[in-house]
Amino acid sequence: RALGWLNAIVPTVPVIPSSATNPGMQYRDAERRAECERNTLTYKGYMRPQSALTCVEFTTQIQQSFHKVTVPFLCMIAEEDVVVDNSKAKQLMKQSPSKDKTFKSYAALHGLLCEPAPLLGIIEDDFVQWLLERCKS
């Protein structure tokens, strides 16, 4: 509700602080973090109410469709994620009627592919192996 009111009053004013814009909370590997911080295309300010409301509405629509997901899928989560709510990934695993669903959890921050070795290698290998297993036929 508060987000809706804020959106109605000042939809494009950057007023919402967000851990999603803090590279230190997303990327453990210092080199990858520095690369992200140098990226001029990455927004680094506070979130705008209209953007936040769109994210909330979009995720709500997706959550309401979990029961329709029947394709094979791989769900990889970072246990130390402060950007997204991992409980929704677990909800997807429970609600999806897919016969082929795989859940992987890592002691990592939000940016799984920005973890240092050896964890990065494990994450990449899990992803590649999941794909290869489904491409055999």
Side-chain angles (χ1 to χ4, degrees), residues 56-107:
V56 169
E57 289 171 347
F58 180 66
T59 56
T60 299
Q61 285 179 331
I62 291 172
Q63 289 170 29
Q64 292 170 348
S65 299
F66 282 175
H67 68 281
K68 298 178 184 177
V69 178
T70 58
V71 297
F73 66 89
L74 169 63
C75 184
M76 303 171 88
I77 67 165
E79 294 168 1
E80 300 167 38
D81 199 329
V82 296
V83 178
V84 298
D85 180 0
N86 284 330
S87 69
K88 300 305 177 188
K90 295 170 185 173
Q91 185 180 347
L92 169 62
M93 294 300 294
K94 289 178 184 172
Q95 291 182 357
S96 167
S98 174
K99 303 274 190 256
D100 182 3
K101 46 190 174 182
T102 305
F103 184 81
K104 296 282 187 172
S105 181
Y106 305 93

Short mmCIF file of all heavy atoms in Angstrom, two decimals, residues 56-107:
data_model
loop_
_atom_site.label_atom_id
_atom_site.label_comp_id
_atom_site.label_asym_id
_atom_site.label_seq_id
_atom_site.Cartn_x
_atom_site.Cartn_y
_atom_site.Cartn_z
N VAL A 56 7.33 -5.51 -7.90
CA VAL A 56 6.41 -6.21 -7.01
C VAL A 56 5.26 -6.83 -7.81
O VAL A 56 4.91 -8.00 -7.62
CB VAL A 56 5.87 -5.27 -5.91
CG1 VAL A 56 4.72 -5.90 -5.14
CG2 VAL A 56 6.99 -4.86 -4.96
N GLU A 57 4.68 -6.06 -8.71
CA GLU A 57 3.55 -6.58 -9.51
C GLU A 57 3.99 -7.73 -10.41
O GLU A 57 3.27 -8.73 -10.54
CB GLU A 57 2.96 -5.45 -10.36
CG GLU A 57 2.21 -4.41 -9.54
CD GLU A 57 1.81 -3.18 -10.33
OE1 GLU A 57 2.31 -2.97 -11.46
OE2 GLU A 57 0.98 -2.39 -9.81
N PHE A 58 5.17 -7.60 -11.00
CA PHE A 58 5.68 -8.65 -11.89
C PHE A 58 5.93 -9.95 -11.11
O PHE A 58 5.53 -11.03 -11.55
CB PHE A 58 6.96 -8.16 -12.58
CG PHE A 58 7.57 -9.17 -13.50
CD1 PHE A 58 6.93 -9.56 -14.65
CD2 PHE A 58 8.82 -9.72 -13.22
CE1 PHE A 58 7.49 -10.49 -15.51
CE2 PHE A 58 9.39 -10.65 -14.07
CZ PHE A 58 8.72 -11.03 -15.22
N THR A 59 6.58 -9.85 -9.96
CA THR A 59 6.86 -11.06 -9.19
C THR A 59 5.57 -11.69 -8.67
O THR A 59 5.47 -12.91 -8.58
CB THR A 59 7.82 -10.79 -8.03
OG1 THR A 59 7.30 -9.75 -7.20
CG2 THR A 59 9.20 -10.41 -8.52
N THR A 60 4.58 -10.87 -8.36
CA THR A 60 3.28 -11.40 -7.91
C THR A 60 2.63 -12.20 -9.04
O THR A 60 2.12 -13.31 -8.81
CB THR A 60 2.35 -10.25 -7.46
OG1 THR A 60 2.96 -9.58 -6.36
CG2 THR A 60 1.00 -10.78 -7.04
N GLN A 61 2.68 -11.67 -10.26
CA GLN A 61 2.13 -12.40 -11.41
C GLN A 61 2.85 -13.72 -11.62
O GLN A 61 2.22 -14.75 -11.89
CB GLN A 61 2.24 -11.56 -12.68
CG GLN A 61 1.25 -10.45 -12.77
CD GLN A 61 1.43 -9.64 -14.06
OE1 GLN A 61 2.52 -9.54 -14.60
NE2 GLN A 61 0.35 -9.06 -14.54
N ILE A 62 4.16 -13.71 -11.50
CA ILE A 62 4.94 -14.94 -11.69
C ILE A 62 4.58 -15.96 -10.61
O ILE A 62 4.36 -17.13 -10.90
CB ILE A 62 6.46 -14.63 -11.68
CG1 ILE A 62 6.83 -13.86 -12.94
CG2 ILE A 62 7.27 -15.91 -11.57
CD1 ILE A 62 8.25 -13.34 -12.96
N GLN A 63 4.52 -15.51 -9.36
CA GLN A 63 4.18 -16.42 -8.26
C GLN A 63 2.81 -17.06 -8.46
O GLN A 63 2.61 -18.23 -8.13
CB GLN A 63 4.22 -15.68 -6.93
CG GLN A 63 5.61 -15.31 -6.50
CD GLN A 63 5.62 -14.37 -5.30
OE1 GLN A 63 4.71 -14.41 -4.49
NE2 GLN A 63 6.64 -13.55 -5.22
N GLN A 64 1.88 -16.32 -9.02
CA GLN A 64 0.54 -16.85 -9.26
C GLN A 64 0.52 -17.86 -10.40
O GLN A 64 -0.48 -18.56 -10.59
CB GLN A 64 -0.44 -15.70 -9.53
CG GLN A 64 -0.68 -14.84 -8.31
CD GLN A 64 -1.45 -13.57 -8.62
OE1 GLN A 64 -1.65 -13.19 -9.76
NE2 GLN A 64 -1.88 -12.88 -7.57
N SER A 65 1.61 -17.94 -11.14
CA SER A 65 1.69 -18.88 -12.27
C SER A 65 2.59 -20.09 -11.98
O SER A 65 2.80 -20.91 -12.87
CB SER A 65 2.21 -18.14 -13.51
OG SER A 65 1.33 -17.11 -13.87
N PHE A 66 3.11 -20.20 -10.78
CA PHE A 66 4.00 -21.32 -10.44
C PHE A 66 3.36 -22.66 -10.78
O PHE A 66 4.02 -23.58 -11.24
CB PHE A 66 4.36 -21.30 -8.96
CG PHE A 66 5.42 -20.30 -8.57
CD1 PHE A 66 5.74 -20.13 -7.24
CD2 PHE A 66 6.11 -19.56 -9.51
CE1 PHE A 66 6.72 -19.22 -6.85
CE2 PHE A 66 7.08 -18.64 -9.14
CZ PHE A 66 7.38 -18.48 -7.80
N HIS A 67 2.07 -22.79 -10.55
CA HIS A 67 1.37 -24.05 -10.78
C HIS A 67 1.29 -24.42 -12.27
O HIS A 67 0.90 -25.53 -12.60
CB HIS A 67 -0.03 -24.01 -10.17
CG HIS A 67 -0.95 -23.06 -10.88
ND1 HIS A 67 -0.92 -21.69 -10.68
CD2 HIS A 67 -1.91 -23.28 -11.80
CE1 HIS A 67 -1.83 -21.12 -11.44
NE2 HIS A 67 -2.46 -22.06 -12.14
N LYS A 68 1.67 -23.50 -13.15
CA LYS A 68 1.63 -23.75 -14.59
C LYS A 68 2.98 -24.17 -15.17
O LYS A 68 3.05 -24.54 -16.34
CB LYS A 68 1.16 -22.49 -15.33
CG LYS A 68 -0.24 -22.04 -14.97
CD LYS A 68 -0.59 -20.77 -15.72
CE LYS A 68 -1.94 -20.23 -15.32
NZ LYS A 68 -2.23 -18.96 -15.98
N VAL A 69 4.02 -24.13 -14.37
CA VAL A 69 5.37 -24.42 -14.86
C VAL A 69 5.53 -25.93 -14.98
O VAL A 69 5.65 -26.64 -13.98
CB VAL A 69 6.46 -23.82 -13.94
CG1 VAL A 69 7.85 -24.17 -14.46
CG2 VAL A 69 6.29 -22.32 -13.83
N THR A 70 5.55 -26.42 -16.22
CA THR A 70 5.65 -27.87 -16.46
C THR A 70 6.93 -28.26 -17.18
O THR A 70 7.21 -29.44 -17.33
CB THR A 70 4.45 -28.35 -17.30
OG1 THR A 70 4.43 -27.63 -18.53
CG2 THR A 70 3.14 -28.14 -16.56
N VAL A 71 7.70 -27.29 -17.64
CA VAL A 71 8.94 -27.58 -18.36
C VAL A 71 10.05 -27.91 -17.36
O VAL A 71 9.98 -27.54 -16.19
CB VAL A 71 9.37 -26.38 -19.24
CG1 VAL A 71 8.34 -26.10 -20.30
CG2 VAL A 71 9.61 -25.14 -18.38
N PRO A 72 11.10 -28.60 -17.82
CA PRO A 72 12.25 -28.83 -16.93
C PRO A 72 12.87 -27.50 -16.53
O PRO A 72 12.97 -26.59 -17.34
CB PRO A 72 13.22 -29.62 -17.81
CG PRO A 72 12.38 -30.21 -18.89
CD PRO A 72 11.27 -29.23 -19.11
N PHE A 73 13.27 -27.39 -15.27
CA PHE A 73 13.95 -26.17 -14.86
C PHE A 73 14.96 -26.44 -13.75
O PHE A 73 14.83 -27.39 -12.99
CB PHE A 73 12.96 -25.07 -14.46
CG PHE A 73 12.15 -25.34 -13.22
CD1 PHE A 73 12.62 -24.98 -11.97
CD2 PHE A 73 10.90 -25.92 -13.33
CE1 PHE A 73 11.87 -25.22 -10.83
CE2 PHE A 73 10.14 -26.15 -12.20
CZ PHE A 73 10.62 -25.80 -10.95
N LEU A 74 15.95 -25.59 -13.74
CA LEU A 74 17.01 -25.62 -12.74
C LEU A 74 16.88 -24.36 -11.92
O LEU A 74 16.89 -23.25 -12.46
CB LEU A 74 18.38 -25.67 -13.42
CG LEU A 74 19.61 -25.44 -12.54
CD1 LEU A 74 19.74 -26.53 -11.49
CD2 LEU A 74 20.86 -25.37 -13.41
N CYS A 75 16.75 -24.50 -10.62
CA CYS A 75 16.64 -23.36 -9.72
C CYS A 75 17.91 -23.32 -8.86
O CYS A 75 18.16 -24.24 -8.08
CB CYS A 75 15.40 -23.52 -8.85
SG CYS A 75 15.10 -22.12 -7.78
N MET A 76 18.71 -22.28 -9.04
CA MET A 76 19.97 -22.12 -8.30
C MET A 76 19.85 -20.89 -7.41
O MET A 76 19.58 -19.80 -7.92
CB MET A 76 21.13 -21.96 -9.28
CG MET A 76 21.24 -23.11 -10.27
SD MET A 76 22.44 -22.80 -11.58
CE MET A 76 23.92 -23.41 -10.80
N ILE A 77 20.04 -21.07 -6.10
CA ILE A 77 19.91 -19.93 -5.20
C ILE A 77 21.20 -19.72 -4.41
O ILE A 77 21.99 -20.63 -4.19
CB ILE A 77 18.73 -20.08 -4.24
CG1 ILE A 77 18.95 -21.23 -3.26
CG2 ILE A 77 17.42 -20.23 -4.99
CD1 ILE A 77 18.01 -21.19 -2.06
N ALA A 78 21.36 -18.47 -3.97
CA ALA A 78 22.46 -18.09 -3.10
C ALA A 78 21.92 -18.00 -1.68
O ALA A 78 21.00 -17.21 -1.42
CB ALA A 78 23.03 -16.75 -3.55
N GLU A 79 22.45 -18.79 -0.78
CA GLU A 79 21.94 -18.84 0.60
C GLU A 79 22.12 -17.52 1.34
O GLU A 79 21.37 -17.22 2.26
CB GLU A 79 22.64 -19.96 1.37
CG GLU A 79 22.31 -21.34 0.85
CD GLU A 79 23.21 -22.42 1.41
OE1 GLU A 79 24.11 -22.11 2.22
OE2 GLU A 79 23.02 -23.58 1.01
N GLU A 80 23.11 -16.73 0.95
CA GLU A 80 23.40 -15.47 1.64
C GLU A 80 22.85 -14.26 0.89
O GLU A 80 23.27 -13.13 1.11
CB GLU A 80 24.91 -15.34 1.84
CG GLU A 80 25.48 -16.48 2.67
CD GLU A 80 26.99 -16.55 2.62
OE1 GLU A 80 27.64 -15.49 2.61
OE2 GLU A 80 27.53 -17.68 2.59
N ASP A 81 21.90 -14.50 0.01
CA ASP A 81 21.30 -13.45 -0.81
C ASP A 81 20.50 -12.47 0.04
O ASP A 81 19.66 -12.88 0.83
CB ASP A 81 20.39 -14.08 -1.87
CG ASP A 81 20.09 -13.16 -3.03
OD1 ASP A 81 20.05 -11.94 -2.82
OD2 ASP A 81 19.89 -13.66 -4.13
N VAL A 82 20.77 -11.17 -0.11
CA VAL A 82 19.99 -10.15 0.58
C VAL A 82 19.17 -9.33 -0.42
O VAL A 82 18.48 -8.39 -0.04
CB VAL A 82 20.88 -9.21 1.42
CG1 VAL A 82 21.56 -9.96 2.54
CG2 VAL A 82 21.90 -8.50 0.55
N VAL A 83 19.26 -9.69 -1.70
CA VAL A 83 18.56 -8.95 -2.75
C VAL A 83 17.19 -9.56 -3.02
O VAL A 83 16.20 -8.86 -3.20
CB VAL A 83 19.40 -8.89 -4.04
CG1 VAL A 83 18.66 -8.16 -5.15
CG2 VAL A 83 20.74 -8.22 -3.77
N VAL A 84 17.12 -10.87 -3.08
CA VAL A 84 15.85 -11.54 -3.37
C VAL A 84 15.48 -12.50 -2.23
O VAL A 84 16.33 -12.94 -1.46
CB VAL A 84 15.88 -12.32 -4.71
CG1 VAL A 84 16.11 -11.40 -5.87
CG2 VAL A 84 16.94 -13.40 -4.68
N ASP A 85 14.20 -12.82 -2.17
CA ASP A 85 13.67 -13.72 -1.15
C ASP A 85 13.72 -15.16 -1.67
O ASP A 85 12.93 -15.53 -2.54
CB ASP A 85 12.23 -13.30 -0.84
CG ASP A 85 11.57 -14.17 0.22
OD1 ASP A 85 12.21 -15.11 0.73
OD2 ASP A 85 10.39 -13.90 0.52
N ASN A 86 14.63 -15.94 -1.14
CA ASN A 86 14.81 -17.32 -1.61
C ASN A 86 13.62 -18.22 -1.30
O ASN A 86 13.46 -19.28 -1.92
CB ASN A 86 16.07 -17.93 -1.00
CG ASN A 86 17.32 -17.42 -1.67
OD1 ASN A 86 17.31 -17.07 -2.84
ND2 ASN A 86 18.41 -17.37 -0.93
N SER A 87 12.77 -17.83 -0.38
CA SER A 87 11.63 -18.68 -0.05
C SER A 87 10.71 -18.85 -1.26
O SER A 87 10.01 -19.86 -1.39
CB SER A 87 10.85 -18.12 1.13
OG SER A 87 10.18 -16.92 0.79
N LYS A 88 10.71 -17.88 -2.16
CA LYS A 88 9.86 -17.97 -3.35
C LYS A 88 10.39 -19.04 -4.31
O LYS A 88 9.61 -19.69 -5.01
CB LYS A 88 9.75 -16.62 -4.06
CG LYS A 88 9.16 -15.54 -3.19
CD LYS A 88 7.82 -15.94 -2.62
CE LYS A 88 7.28 -14.87 -1.69
NZ LYS A 88 6.09 -15.27 -0.97
N ALA A 89 11.69 -19.23 -4.35
CA ALA A 89 12.25 -20.30 -5.17
C ALA A 89 11.82 -21.65 -4.63
O ALA A 89 11.47 -22.56 -5.39
CB ALA A 89 13.77 -20.19 -5.20
N LYS A 90 11.81 -21.77 -3.32
CA LYS A 90 11.37 -23.02 -2.69
C LYS A 90 9.87 -23.24 -2.93
O LYS A 90 9.43 -24.36 -3.13
CB LYS A 90 11.71 -23.00 -1.21
CG LYS A 90 13.22 -22.98 -0.98
CD LYS A 90 13.60 -22.71 0.46
CE LYS A 90 15.11 -22.59 0.57
NZ LYS A 90 15.55 -22.19 1.89
N GLN A 91 9.13 -22.15 -2.95
CA GLN A 91 7.69 -22.23 -3.25
C GLN A 91 7.47 -22.72 -4.68
O GLN A 91 6.60 -23.54 -4.93
CB GLN A 91 7.06 -20.85 -3.04
CG GLN A 91 5.57 -20.82 -3.20
CD GLN A 91 5.01 -19.41 -2.99
OE1 GLN A 91 5.67 -18.52 -2.49
NE2 GLN A 91 3.77 -19.23 -3.39
N LEU A 92 8.26 -22.22 -5.61
CA LEU A 92 8.19 -22.68 -7.00
C LEU A 92 8.43 -24.18 -7.07
O LEU A 92 7.71 -24.90 -7.77
CB LEU A 92 9.19 -21.94 -7.88
CG LEU A 92 9.42 -22.49 -9.29
CD1 LEU A 92 8.14 -22.43 -10.11
CD2 LEU A 92 10.53 -21.72 -9.98
N MET A 93 9.43 -24.65 -6.36
CA MET A 93 9.75 -26.08 -6.37
C MET A 93 8.56 -26.91 -5.88
O MET A 93 8.28 -27.97 -6.42
CB MET A 93 10.97 -26.36 -5.49
CG MET A 93 12.26 -25.76 -6.00
SD MET A 93 12.76 -26.34 -7.63
CE MET A 93 13.12 -28.05 -7.29
N LYS A 94 7.86 -26.41 -4.88
CA LYS A 94 6.71 -27.14 -4.33
C LYS A 94 5.49 -27.08 -5.24
O LYS A 94 4.77 -28.05 -5.39
CB LYS A 94 6.35 -26.59 -2.95
CG LYS A 94 7.34 -26.92 -1.87
CD LYS A 94 6.93 -26.31 -0.55
CE LYS A 94 8.00 -26.56 0.50
NZ LYS A 94 7.73 -25.83 1.75
N GLN A 95 5.24 -25.92 -5.82
CA GLN A 95 4.00 -25.72 -6.57
C GLN A 95 4.05 -26.15 -8.03
O GLN A 95 3.02 -26.45 -8.61
CB GLN A 95 3.58 -24.24 -6.50
CG GLN A 95 3.15 -23.84 -5.12
CD GLN A 95 2.70 -22.39 -5.05
OE1 GLN A 95 2.75 -21.66 -6.04
NE2 GLN A 95 2.27 -21.96 -3.89
N SER A 96 5.22 -26.19 -8.61
CA SER A 96 5.31 -26.56 -10.02
C SER A 96 5.03 -28.05 -10.21
O SER A 96 5.59 -28.89 -9.50
CB SER A 96 6.71 -26.26 -10.55
OG SER A 96 6.89 -26.88 -11.81
N PRO A 97 4.20 -28.39 -11.19
CA PRO A 97 3.93 -29.80 -11.47
C PRO A 97 4.99 -30.45 -12.37
O PRO A 97 4.86 -31.61 -12.73
CB PRO A 97 2.56 -29.76 -12.17
CG PRO A 97 2.53 -28.44 -12.85
CD PRO A 97 3.31 -27.51 -11.96
N SER A 98 6.03 -29.70 -12.71
CA SER A 98 7.07 -30.25 -13.58
C SER A 98 7.62 -31.56 -13.01
O SER A 98 7.83 -31.68 -11.81
CB SER A 98 8.22 -29.24 -13.72
OG SER A 98 9.28 -29.81 -14.44
N LYS A 99 7.87 -32.50 -13.91
CA LYS A 99 8.44 -33.79 -13.51
C LYS A 99 9.97 -33.71 -13.42
O LYS A 99 10.61 -34.60 -12.89
CB LYS A 99 8.04 -34.87 -14.52
CG LYS A 99 6.55 -35.03 -14.69
CD LYS A 99 5.96 -35.98 -13.67
CE LYS A 99 4.54 -36.30 -13.99
NZ LYS A 99 3.59 -35.61 -13.15
N ASP A 100 10.52 -32.64 -13.96
CA ASP A 100 11.98 -32.48 -14.00
C ASP A 100 12.36 -31.11 -13.45
O ASP A 100 12.43 -30.13 -14.17
CB ASP A 100 12.47 -32.62 -15.45
CG ASP A 100 13.99 -32.52 -15.57
OD1 ASP A 100 14.68 -32.39 -14.55
OD2 ASP A 100 14.47 -32.58 -16.72
N LYS A 101 12.56 -31.08 -12.14
CA LYS A 101 12.96 -29.83 -11.51
C LYS A 101 14.13 -30.11 -10.56
O LYS A 101 14.12 -31.08 -9.82
CB LYS A 101 11.80 -29.15 -10.78
CG LYS A 101 10.97 -30.05 -9.91
CD LYS A 101 9.71 -29.33 -9.45
CE LYS A 101 8.80 -30.28 -8.68
NZ LYS A 101 7.59 -29.63 -8.26
N THR A 102 15.12 -29.26 -10.66
CA THR A 102 16.34 -29.44 -9.88
C THR A 102 16.59 -28.18 -9.06
O THR A 102 16.51 -27.07 -9.56
CB THR A 102 17.55 -29.68 -10.81
OG1 THR A 102 17.25 -30.78 -11.67
CG2 THR A 102 18.81 -29.96 -10.02
N PHE A 103 16.92 -28.39 -7.78
CA PHE A 103 17.17 -27.28 -6.86
C PHE A 103 18.62 -27.36 -6.38
O PHE A 103 19.06 -28.40 -5.91
CB PHE A 103 16.22 -27.38 -5.67
CG PHE A 103 16.33 -26.24 -4.71
CD1 PHE A 103 15.70 -25.04 -4.96
CD2 PHE A 103 17.05 -26.39 -3.53
CE1 PHE A 103 15.79 -23.99 -4.06
CE2 PHE A 103 17.14 -25.35 -2.63
CZ PHE A 103 16.51 -24.14 -2.90
N LYS A 104 19.35 -26.27 -6.53
CA LYS A 104 20.74 -26.19 -6.07
C LYS A 104 20.88 -24.96 -5.19
O LYS A 104 20.40 -23.88 -5.53
CB LYS A 104 21.72 -26.06 -7.25
CG LYS A 104 21.75 -27.27 -8.17
CD LYS A 104 22.56 -28.36 -7.54
CE LYS A 104 22.76 -29.51 -8.50
NZ LYS A 104 23.69 -30.49 -7.99
N SER A 105 21.55 -25.12 -4.07
CA SER A 105 21.74 -24.03 -3.12
C SER A 105 23.23 -23.91 -2.82
O SER A 105 23.91 -24.91 -2.62
CB SER A 105 20.95 -24.36 -1.85
OG SER A 105 21.09 -23.34 -0.92
N TYR A 106 23.70 -22.66 -2.78
CA TYR A 106 25.14 -22.42 -2.58
C TYR A 106 25.36 -21.39 -1.47
O TYR A 106 24.58 -20.46 -1.33
CB TYR A 106 25.77 -21.89 -3.87
CG TYR A 106 25.53 -22.78 -5.05
CD1 TYR A 106 24.45 -22.58 -5.89
CD2 TYR A 106 26.37 -23.85 -5.32
CE1 TYR A 106 24.21 -23.41 -6.97
CE2 TYR A 106 26.15 -24.69 -6.40
CZ TYR A 106 25.06 -24.46 -7.22
OH TYR A 106 24.82 -25.28 -8.29
N ALA A 107 26.43 -21.55 -0.73
CA ALA A 107 26.83 -20.57 0.29
C ALA A 107 27.45 -19.39 -0.45
O ALA A 107 28.67 -19.27 -0.57
CB ALA A 107 27.83 -21.19 1.27
#
